[in-house]
Amino acid sequence: MKPVDLRSDTVTQPTAAMRAVMAAAEVGDDVFGDDPTVNALQARIAALLGKEAALFTPTGTQSNLCGLMAHCQRGDEFLVGQMAHTYRWEGGGAAVLGSIQPQPLPQQPDGSILLADIDAHIKPDDAHFARTRLLALENTWGGQVLPLPYIEEATALARRRGLATHLDGARVFNAAVASGVPVADIARPFDSVSVCFSKGLGAPAGSALVGSRALIARAHRVRKMLGGGMRQAGVLAAGALHALDHHVDRLAEDHAHARTLAEGLQGLPGVTVQAPQTNIVFIDLAPEKAAGVVERLRAAGVLCTGLYRLRFVTHLDISADDIARAVAVLRQTL
Ligand SMILES: *Cc1c(COP(=O)(O)O)cnc(C)c1O
């Protein structure tokens, strides 16, 4: 029997319909700006997020880095959550490749950074310090929706202090669908937003950075430097366009599956389930339950990641039956 793969929403297979539009995509050399499908995707995602322009990239890591390097020069600094992807999970690329110093800050349980912490870490204009240039937030973070009033306040503070703002919105469509807030409203307070097509949207690869025309022109140069200038990338862009047409509203199904999974795990001793807001379920295990648990679950046909804190991510290829099976296996194993 095929395992129930809840390791990530990146494990999805392109659907037959998606493969068909990818195979039929009209393409050109995107380094010359000649790929009509890439151009259509860039126009579409920019409009959806309410920005002037967009840049298609192979990965979200590259999209974030193009954004950071378009905002910041060598010797600049960005304020970022201690557990944010752009700081912790991207190989230190901003520092390694951009000579941009991260200033990591503690995050609250909802993913926010206290305004007082942001305020206190914006450095004065003094030769001792890196130039604080950018605030980077993440939404969703750990599957949680960053509250809109907080986003408004944090970005307003950043603007008041002369900083630019970037959103790592790898799963921003999950945030929009879960909260009922249009994705453009979530994007509006930010100068740039990175969004992934390869996560819950189910495309095989690709992300986009959106922002002003001037910012995206700078990011375009950075993308070339980072080796992200792809040629007939319209084959991938077609998958992303298809995902925007067909896989956004259905994210609500993934969220419902996550809730069903969480509810199904109630009442197990030594197991604490965090109520999911979107498509990610975290469960914390007492140490006596944790030994070899990922391997034991794998042997029983359920794939997840973690150690004491297990992570289960629902997605396009997970059905209600899969969730029922996962609940049964988890209850048995735990
Ligand atoms: C997945 C992800 C990214 C980008 O990841 P890639 O694997 O490089 O596409 C960025 N930020 C967050 C929050 C993510 O979950």
Side-chain angles (χ1 to χ4, degrees):
M1 207 192 244
K2 207 164 119 271
V4 182
D5 193 346
L6 298 165
R7 288 172 301 167
S8 176
D9 46 8
T10 56
V11 301
T12 53
Q13 298 282 317
T15 62
M18 183 181 280
R19 286 174 189 268
V21 296
M22 292 175 73
E26 211 186 314
V27 297
D29 188 333
D30 182 52
V31 171
F32 290 122
D34 280 353
D35 191 302
T37 310
V38 170
N39 293 338
L41 173 64
Q42 290 176 164
R44 176 89 185 277
I45 192 69
L48 259 174
L49 292 170
K51 304 294 182 200
E52 285 176 0
L55 185 69
F56 185 52
T57 61
T59 64
T61 297
Q62 189 175 95
S63 172
N64 277 326
L65 186 54
C66 285
L68 295 176
M69 290 179 70
H71 283 295
C72 300
Q73 301 299 308
R74 184 160 193 254
D76 287 353
E77 167 181 85
F78 73 116
L79 306 183
V80 62
Q82 183 68 250
M83 295 297 283
H85 205 278
T86 45
Y87 168 58
R88 205 169 185 104
W89 308 96
E90 297 185 3
V96 174
L97 300 166
S99 299
I100 305 163
Q101 165 168 285
Q103 167 64 72
L105 296 173
Q107 284 167 276
Q108 302 307 301
D110 67 357
S112 66
I113 303 167
L114 292 180
L115 299 184
D117 281 339
I118 295 172
D119 201 47
H121 287 85
I122 299 173
K123 314 295 187 292
D125 183 8
D126 176 314
H128 290 86
F129 302 119
R131 290 172 301 250
T132 314
R133 175 76 197 103
L134 178 75
L135 171 68
L137 298 178
E138 185 173 318
N139 191 12
T140 61
W141 176 77
Q144 297 184 98
V145 180
L146 209 53
L148 201 53
Y150 168 76
I151 293 177
E152 302 279 0
E153 285 182 288
T155 53
L157 166 62
R159 268 194 305 280
R160 225 168 28 243
R161 300 292 306 273
L163 307 192
T165 53
H166 173 76
L167 177 68
D168 178 356
R171 297 189 178 88
V172 73
F173 284 101
N174 293 86
V177 167
S179 60
V181 175
V183 71
D185 289 354
I186 299 176
R188 182 167 300 113
F190 294 95
D191 297 308
S192 57
V193 181
S194 169
V195 50
C196 288
F197 303 113
S198 55
K199 297 271 167 86
L201 297 185
S207 287
L209 180 73
V210 301
S212 69
R213 248 184 283 287
L215 184 91
I216 294 302
R218 292 201 298 278
H220 185 263
R221 171 173 282 275
V222 175
R223 185 186 70 175
K224 185 68 190 157
M225 185 170 67
L226 296 176
M230 296 186 286
R231 301 295 176 171
Q232 284 71 31
V235 172
L236 292 173
L241 276 167
H242 181 85
L244 289 174
D245 284 333
H246 301 284
H247 295 170
V248 174
D249 293 342
R250 66 149 307 284
L251 291 171
E253 236 175 89
D254 298 343
H255 301 170
H257 286 157
R259 285 195 299 273
T260 305
L261 180 65
E263 282 155 17
L265 301 180
Q266 296 301 326
L268 290 170
V271 178
T272 310
V273 187
Q274 185 187 307
Q277 294 180 17
T278 59
N279 68 328
I280 304 181
V281 181
F282 285 105
I283 71 173
D284 291 298
L285 299 179
E288 71 274 12
K289 299 251 172 180
V293 68
V294 171
E295 293 70 27
R296 285 187 285 133
L297 288 170
R298 173 183 286 272
V302 173
L303 309 186
C304 67
T305 59
L307 203 56
Y308 290 107
R309 163 163 266 217
L310 300 184
R311 189 184 84 151
F312 302 87
V313 187
T314 58
H315 53 76
L316 193 56
D317 291 350
I318 294 294
S319 66
D321 286 350
D322 292 329
I323 293 295
R325 214 171 104 214
V327 167
V329 164
L330 278 156
R331 292 200 74 90
Q332 176 75 32
T333 308
L334 297 175

